[in-house]
Amino acid sequence: MKMEVSIFPFFENAVKMMGPDDSFIRGQLINMVNHMNVQTEDKIRFFGGEISRPAMLDSQGRWSPDSLNITTALIMLKNNNAPKDDVIKFMKESLRANQDDVIKSKLLTRFATYYPESIHELK
């Protein structure tokens, strides 16, 4: 009998321990999860967790390198046909995790870009 071992749970745990300096590795994990042979629901949960985390801006008011991964995870949600209700739930969690008005505005802009049909449910 062949036993398969998934590395997906290791990815889920690893990403939780990453800090802002790990932005490149975080981005690589997001891409790897997108290409993994795991349940779509698991991918959606992973990407949703990524868009739901706190974001940061750099000294010029742009997304920090680590926060750019939020956009990548949002794209992956779209590419994996995440159900609208799940996406809205993750976006609401993101807005709760990010109370700064500038960050909220930037998040809403991204949400409107990829999910224009859902943006009215966030305001």
Side-chain angles (χ1 to χ4, degrees), residues 49-91:
E50 285 301 293
I51 71 162
S52 300
R53 62 190 179 84
M56 297 184 324
L57 303 177
D58 66 14
S59 60
Q60 285 84 36
R62 298 177 300 213
W63 287 120
S64 69
D66 187 49
S67 296
L68 287 171
N69 286 319
I70 292 172
T71 303
T72 304
L74 190 62
I75 293 166
M76 298 303 181
L77 278 173
K78 184 80 169 181
N79 290 345
N80 282 278
N81 300 311
K84 178 183 173 186
D85 290 344
D86 287 348
V87 174
I88 291 169
K89 177 186 76 167
F90 295 132
M91 289 190 285

